[in-house]
Amino acid sequence: MKINSVSTVVRYGLLTIISAIMLLPFIWMVTTSLKDPNQIFALPPTFIPNPIQWDSYLNVLSSTHFLRQMFNSIYIGAAVTIGTVLLASLAGYAFARIPFKGRNVVFLAFLSVMMIPGEVTIIPLFLFMRELGWIDTHLPLMIIPIFGAGGAFGIFVMRQFFKQVPAELEDAARIDGCSRFRIFVQIMLPLSKPALATVTIFTFLTNWNEFLEPLIFINSRELMTLPLALSLFTDEAGTDWSSLMSASVLATLPVLTVFFFAQKQFIESLAMSGSKE
């Protein structure tokens, strides 16, 4: 009994230390955003700002393009997430439950998209988008992720989930007169909430942090997304650390909001995938 108590204390102590180490960069970002610029690199270093300064947040929010750039990231992330979830659920169901000739070959072709680094295809994509006249628009930032590696990952997750659903459930619905589309909408989709939450979180988070594609396809400052906008706080004169950290804190809020609302289904998905044989 005593050994178990000591083991529990040691285990929780280690988890607390690891959690503190992982949270340290985030806490440093928040405290730095609230410091006076002269305190950020002062020696000896101060961890708690004194006094707390909100000027950097006001400067960021009052800047000409920041709110517009945050809106760009939000609506592009939402559009890509909705498009990816829709495509992944339909294609994943088709690959998992509808037999057709060459199904496995086509699925492997989809998976191969995930194996190709984005840096390899970025120049052909740029030339293709230029021919379409989509440079300096948001269309490449929405179309490429949906039908690229992100979409392939979503299809893979949804296919693996639908394959685990018992075939008897679908057969019973078909005997009751349900069409395949009705089975998909009324039976399969409600069952796949954990997998949909997983695809939603990974897609939104990946798109939110995307830097390379906005850097290649976007030129106008008002069309930039947040990762690209954050890089503008560094120039030849140096880095405005207070404003950069304040903007970074504001940039994490939508991601935390998405995870807060989808974490239950996300954790259920991980637990369920770990319990499968």
Side-chain angles (χ1 to χ4, degrees):
M1 185 70 179
K2 187 176 180 180
I3 294 176
N4 290 336
S5 300
V6 172
S7 173
T8 302
V9 171
V10 171
R11 188 165 61 248
Y12 278 99
L14 287 174
L15 290 175
T16 303
I17 293 172
I18 294 172
S19 301
I21 294 173
M22 296 182 69
L23 285 174
L24 190 60
F26 181 78
I27 296 173
W28 183 84
M29 178 180 70
V30 175
T31 57
T32 301
S33 70
L34 298 173
K35 287 180 180 177
D36 183 88
N38 296 324
Q39 292 181 331
I40 295 176
F41 296 108
L43 294 174
T46 56
F47 200 69
I48 301 175
N50 185 25
I52 294 177
Q53 299 284 336
W54 297 97
D55 294 347
S56 57
Y57 283 93
L58 297 177
N59 292 335
V60 169
L61 292 174
S62 61
S63 65
T64 308
H65 298 298
F66 182 79
L67 291 179
R68 174 62 186 271
Q69 291 158 346
M70 176 173 275
F71 173 75
N72 292 340
S73 285
I74 291 175
Y75 102 81
I76 291 173
V80 172
T81 302
I82 293 172
T84 302
V85 168
L86 185 63
L87 174 69
S89 57
L90 287 168
Y93 177 75
F95 282 123
R97 315 299 293 203
I98 301 176
F100 58 88
K101 190 175 181 180
R103 181 176 62 173
N104 292 332
V105 175
V106 176
F107 179 66
L108 288 176
F110 261 103
L111 285 186
S112 66
V113 176
M114 292 193 298
M115 314 299 176
I116 303 174
E119 292 80 2
V120 175
T121 58
I122 195 68
I123 293 178
L125 283 174
F126 175 81
L127 297 176
F128 183 57
M129 295 299 161
R130 190 181 62 179
E131 291 299 318
L132 294 176
W134 288 1
I135 298 300
D136 206 23
T137 71
H138 288 156
L139 288 174
L141 307 185
M142 293 187 282
I143 300 300
I144 294 175
I146 293 176
F147 296 98
F153 170 76
I155 292 171
F156 173 75
V157 172
M158 296 306 299
R159 175 186 179 268
Q160 297 307 108
F161 179 85
F162 287 131
K163 283 177 69 70
Q164 304 298 328
V165 178
E168 291 79 8
L169 189 63
E170 204 171 11
D171 294 338
R174 195 173 293 114
I175 291 173
D176 288 340
C178 288
S179 64
R180 189 174 291 279
F181 182 74
R182 190 177 172 188
I183 292 172
F184 171 72
V185 172
Q186 295 187 346
I187 296 177
M188 290 298 187
L189 277 185
L191 289 175
S192 63
K193 284 182 181 178
L196 290 173
T198 302
V199 175
T200 298
I201 290 178
F202 277 106
T203 302
F204 187 82
L205 188 60
T206 301
N207 200 264
W208 186 263
N209 294 325
E210 180 59 43
F211 180 80
L212 179 61
E213 290 178 1
L215 178 66
I216 298 297
F217 296 117
I218 300 298
N219 300 320
S220 305
R221 180 166 289 201
E222 63 272 17
L223 294 179
M224 289 181 177
T225 54
L226 276 180
L228 198 55
L230 292 178
S231 67
L232 300 179
F233 287 98
T234 298
D235 54 22
E236 295 82 0
T239 301
D240 184 356
W241 287 102
S242 295
S243 299
L244 176 59
M245 293 300 110
S246 302
S248 299
V249 171
L250 294 173
T252 60
L253 296 181
V255 178
L256 292 177
T257 302
V258 171
F259 182 78
F260 176 78
F261 284 106
Q263 62 174 329
K264 182 180 177 182
Q265 285 76 18
F266 179 65
I267 294 172
E268 284 179 359
S269 173
L270 294 179
M272 185 175 56
S273 61
S275 64
K276 286 192 172 76
E277 295 180 357

